[in-house]
Amino acid sequence: MYIMSGEIIDLIKGKELFSSLSKQDLSVLEPFLYERTLKKGQYLFWQGDPRQRIYYLLDGYVTLEKSNKQGSMQYNQYIKKDTLFPYNGLFTGSKEYCHSAIAETDIHVVYLSTDVFESFLSKHNRLLQKVIKEYGKILEGQEKRIQHGIIPNAQERVLNSISYLMMDLGVEYPDYIRIDFPFTTSKLSVLSGTSRETASLVINKLKREKKLTIKEKMIYIHEPQYFEKLVI
């Protein structure tokens, strides 16, 4: 459902990232804000497209993917609702997106020109500080993923990948943590750099040990502490 133009600022104001700004501050952006809905599997932008927009995900999940010239997957990152993206290229003068952005579910986004957003950031230090902090978290997570990605043991890489999914995308409930992202063994094998057979072997073992279950492509983590201790 599309938002009435006068309601977009109210909606953005309610998000944690923009909470330090007044409605009057944000009203400057209103003429430049647009929204869009996409179906699962559609692309917001392709790797190499002109880097013209920055997005805020209101609902759903997005995957950022980067491939080499041969078409082999080099990197992917999952984006959940209430997240600004992509951070790569802000204030650097980068002319192209370094990832492709694919809707993993039906999604709803608000977007505006990157140039307009950069200009706005430069005038609002509190927002700029929050953006820098969030980008720092992303870089820290990427560094840890790289460190664990070179672990020789493939099964350990699968376990670490589940741990990162839990920490990045998990929603906490009284008796479990649920990863609402649509999970498949193929996605897990790509994320951990292993074969589908290895990823399936680890998942089945965790199921037998009742550390997790999978229902309708969602992962239910029953022993979060087991996965928390895997990430250093």
Side-chain angles (χ1 to χ4, degrees):
M1 179 181 296
Y2 279 88
I3 308 165
M4 298 295 291
S5 59
E7 299 176 344
I8 293 181
I9 296 302
D10 289 332
L11 177 63
I12 295 299
K13 179 70 176 72
K15 303 302 181 182
E16 196 283 330
L17 180 64
F18 302 100
S19 60
S20 64
L21 301 173
S22 68
K23 188 173 180 179
Q24 184 176 0
D25 290 333
L26 288 168
S27 65
V28 176
L29 294 177
E30 187 166 3
F32 306 100
L33 287 171
Y34 302 89
E35 59 177 319
R36 186 179 179 188
T37 58
L38 275 77
K39 294 294 185 182
K40 177 181 177 181
Q42 290 185 298
Y43 280 71
L44 266 176
F45 54 82
W46 293 80
Q47 180 179 333
D49 281 351
R51 195 182 66 86
Q52 297 174 335
R53 299 171 178 172
I54 191 156
Y55 298 83
Y56 190 86
L57 184 61
L58 295 172
D59 196 25
Y61 289 89
V62 169
T63 297
L64 299 182
E65 292 186 350
K66 184 173 184 178
S67 304
N68 59 23
K69 292 182 179 179
Q70 288 72 42
S72 299
M73 185 68 62
Q74 289 184 312
Y75 175 80
N76 61 5
Q77 176 189 348
Y78 299 121
I79 306 295
K80 62 182 178 181
K81 66 178 293 186
D82 295 334
T83 300
L84 184 77
F85 71 99
Y87 282 92
N88 299 70
L90 280 175
F91 294 109
T92 67
S94 175
K95 301 297 184 183
E96 299 177 348
Y97 291 117
C98 61
H99 306 92
S100 296
I102 307 103
E104 283 290 342
T105 62
D106 292 353
I107 65 170
H108 186 187
V109 296
V110 172
Y111 66 90
L112 74 164
S113 161
T114 304
D115 291 340
V116 171
F117 186 67
E118 288 177 347
S119 176
F120 187 77
L121 273 180
S122 67
K123 298 172 184 175
H124 297 276
N125 289 336
R126 289 185 180 179
L127 177 59
L128 179 58
Q129 289 170 7
K130 286 186 176 183
V131 167
I132 292 172
K133 184 177 180 180
E134 289 303 311
Y135 192 31
K137 290 179 181 179
I138 292 172
L139 292 177
E140 182 180 2
Q142 290 176 350
E143 182 179 348
K144 288 181 178 180
R145 281 184 58 183
I146 291 171
Q147 291 172 349
H148 288 288
I150 61 176
I151 295 174
N153 189 301
Q155 294 189 21
E156 287 185 24
R157 295 202 302 273
V158 175
L159 289 171
N160 277 303
S161 295
I162 296 172
S163 178
Y164 286 124
L165 288 172
M166 179 187 76
M167 295 174 68
D168 291 344
L169 306 178
V171 180
E172 190 170 351
Y173 293 88
D175 299 323
Y176 55 83
I177 292 178
R178 188 175 74 188
I179 301 171
D180 291 341
F181 184 86
F183 166 84
T184 65
T185 304
S186 295
K187 284 186 174 68
L188 182 59
S189 66
V190 171
L191 185 64
S192 55
T194 65
S195 66
R196 291 181 61 183
E197 290 75 15
T198 298
S200 180
L201 180 68
V202 173
I203 287 294
N204 288 334
K205 182 175 184 294
L206 292 170
K207 286 180 179 179
R208 290 195 300 271
E209 295 173 350
K210 298 184 178 180
K211 289 182 170 60
L212 62 75
T213 55
I214 298 175
K215 298 178 183 178
E216 298 179 349
K217 294 187 177 181
M218 295 183 187
I219 305 176
Y220 292 75
I221 305 291
H222 303 296
E223 292 189 28
Q225 66 278 8
Y226 173 80
F227 296 96
E228 288 170 354
K229 68 182 180 181
L230 295 173
V231 180
I232 300 173

